[in-house]
Amino acid sequence: MELNDDLLLRYSRHILLPDVGVAGQARISEAKVLIVGAGGLGCPAALYLGAAGIGRLLLADGDTVDLTNLQRQIGHATLAIGENKADSLARSVRAINPEIEVRTLREALAGSALHAAIAEVDLVVDASDNFATRHAINRVCVQLGKPLVSGAAIGFSGQLAVFDSQRADSPCYHCLFPDSADEPELRCAEAGVFSPLVGVIGAMQAMEALKYLAQVGEPLVGRLLLWDGLRAEARVMKVPRDPACPVCGQAAAQAG
């Protein structure tokens, strides 16, 4: 992609970075990214990816903006209450960067719609808030060989990981968190969440996505970052690939 003078100026602080340069910024500007969830994590992820010049952003969310969202979901304004979250967030992204394409999917993606959305992008950011959606996204990403940047946040604690089934050493989300229908699930509406926490994790999701797309640094593949907001401490754990994983393991490959 050729960057004109205005784009060179807009993205100049990226271009000044030796690891990024014009080539890295061009890769960012050619990329297509799907963000599933336009809430606490999806808002900062979308705003930073849009500001950084991702060529096409797909924002998917079937929910509407509620007053209780505004404490942390920084892509939505008070006037957006009652509006679809994907539409509200898209407007905020376009206000920052009108040079990129932003498209909205006003639904909770599942089945064929989820498969079609992931098939048309280069990378997926999972900013959803429930295990069923995370596992569904992971299955399609493994099937289609798409990198997945996964984040979660509750209370004062967050986590972040990158999964890339094209790398032989990469686990998938199921390797880390096996699917269990009986597993209890905490939601923000029940447990609460500290406002800046989702900003920290969502911004880190954007950073991992941009690193991957620009081909700089080492993505958080095969590792899980745990952030303790109360103690301001980060811990990184290695996560091996599970050969017996029903999603990405040998049995799954043979069945496919």
Side-chain angles (χ1 to χ4, degrees):
M1 178 178 181
E2 185 175 345
L3 302 173
N4 60 36
D5 289 345
D6 286 342
L7 294 180
L8 289 171
L9 186 60
R10 178 182 284 270
Y11 306 127
S12 59
R13 299 308 187 268
H14 265 175
I15 294 168
L16 286 170
L17 295 170
D19 289 344
V20 179
V22 173
Q25 182 60 49
R27 284 190 284 268
I28 290 171
S29 297
E30 291 170 348
K32 301 179 287 294
V33 172
L34 167 66
I35 301 178
V36 182
L41 299 175
C43 282
L47 294 173
Y48 271 113
L49 290 176
I54 291 293
R56 182 188 301 170
L57 272 180
L58 274 67
L59 307 178
D61 201 309
D63 199 6
T64 56
V65 179
D66 183 83
L67 180 61
T68 61
N69 301 147
L70 302 183
Q71 161 254 14
R72 65 199 178 281
Q73 298 183 15
I74 58 172
H76 309 305
T78 301
L79 291 177
I81 291 175
E83 183 180 1
N84 174 269
K85 285 186 178 181
D87 287 341
S88 169
L89 181 54
R91 183 171 58 250
S92 297
V93 173
R94 293 186 187 109
I96 292 173
N97 192 351
E99 302 292 338
I100 67 170
E101 178 185 347
V102 185
R103 186 157 64 87
T104 59
L105 303 170
R106 306 174 187 88
E107 59 181 309
L109 289 179
S112 59
L114 177 63
H115 190 281
I118 293 177
E120 70 171 280
V121 300
D122 302 306
L123 179 144
V124 179
V125 173
D126 182 357
S128 63
D129 63 355
N130 64 87
F131 285 126
T133 300
R134 291 170 188 154
H135 280 289
I137 293 169
N138 176 67
R139 285 191 294 270
V140 179
C141 283
V142 171
Q143 180 184 353
L144 298 179
K146 305 287 184 173
L148 170 62
V149 180
S150 175
I154 194 76
F156 292 88
S157 301
Q159 62 189 37
L160 177 74
V162 179
F163 307 103
D164 183 6
S165 60
Q166 296 191 47
R167 287 179 49 160
D169 62 337
S170 174
C172 76
Y173 184 83
H174 193 283
C175 295
L176 181 59
F177 298 108
D179 194 358
S180 174
D182 299 326
E183 188 173 351
E185 192 168 9
L186 281 177
R187 301 290 184 90
C188 292
E190 302 162 349
V193 61
F194 197 51
S195 174
L197 173 69
V198 293
V200 171
I201 302 301
M204 292 176 77
Q205 286 184 276
M207 173 171 271
E208 288 300 312
L210 290 169
K211 282 167 50 184
Y212 187 97
L213 295 167
Q215 300 174 17
V216 301
E218 180 61 32
L220 201 62
V221 174
R223 295 176 291 157
L224 173 68
L225 185 148
L226 301 172
W227 172 251
D228 181 346
L230 280 178
R231 299 176 61 86
E233 290 182 351
R235 184 160 59 101
V236 178
M237 303 169 50
K238 290 187 177 180
V239 181
R241 188 170 192 168
D242 180 5
C245 175
V247 177
C248 73
Q250 295 175 357
Q254 292 170 359

